[in-house]
Amino acid sequence: MSLPRTAALAAAVTALLVPVAAHAAPAGAVTREAGRTVTAPVRDVLARIPVADEDRTGYQRAAFKHWTDADKDGCNTRAEALRAEAVVPPTVSGRCTLSGGEWYSPYGAT
């Protein structure tokens, strides 16, 4: 990764980790670049993160058995989170099989 891309990634991560007070005027990211403090809108900082095609080589969902159904309603933690965070709720069928739905992402602005 090149130095500018590394700096952009570091800035974006910093932006996500810096607490923002509830009373702060426009939400922004405070980062350090070349020894100076820079305040920028979070979207601008996120836009500087390099984008690449997803690579799922070697990924197997079955290898991750950590999704539990804590409240025993038939939906595991992943499904519960997806349902709770949906802008347009997914359809739930059978043993909590989700389909459809829409979610907001600051990374894709959708």
Side-chain angles (χ1 to χ4, degrees):
M1 191 177 288
S2 68
L3 188 55
R5 286 185 177 184
T6 302
L9 181 57
V13 170
T14 300
L16 296 174
L17 298 176
V18 172
V20 178
H23 64 278
V30 178
T31 62
R32 305 274 308 159
E33 291 183 9
R36 62 190 176 96
T37 301
V38 177
T39 302
V42 173
R43 283 185 186 258
D44 291 352
V45 176
L46 290 174
R48 295 172 58 185
I49 297 174
V51 177
D53 289 334
E54 182 177 9
D55 179 4
R56 291 184 170 219
T57 304
Y59 173 78
Q60 294 178 3
R61 177 177 250 159
F64 297 90
K65 305 254 185 226
H66 61 281
W67 301 115
T68 61
D69 181 7
D71 60 5
K72 308 293 186 218
D73 69 350
C75 292
N76 64 28
T77 307
R78 178 182 180 274
E80 298 275 5
L82 287 170
R83 289 170 61 193
E85 298 295 324
V87 174
V88 174
T91 301
V92 183
S93 61
R95 296 178 43 93
C96 200
T97 300
L98 306 182
S99 61
E102 292 182 20
W103 293 264
Y104 172 76
S105 169
Y107 302 101
T110 60

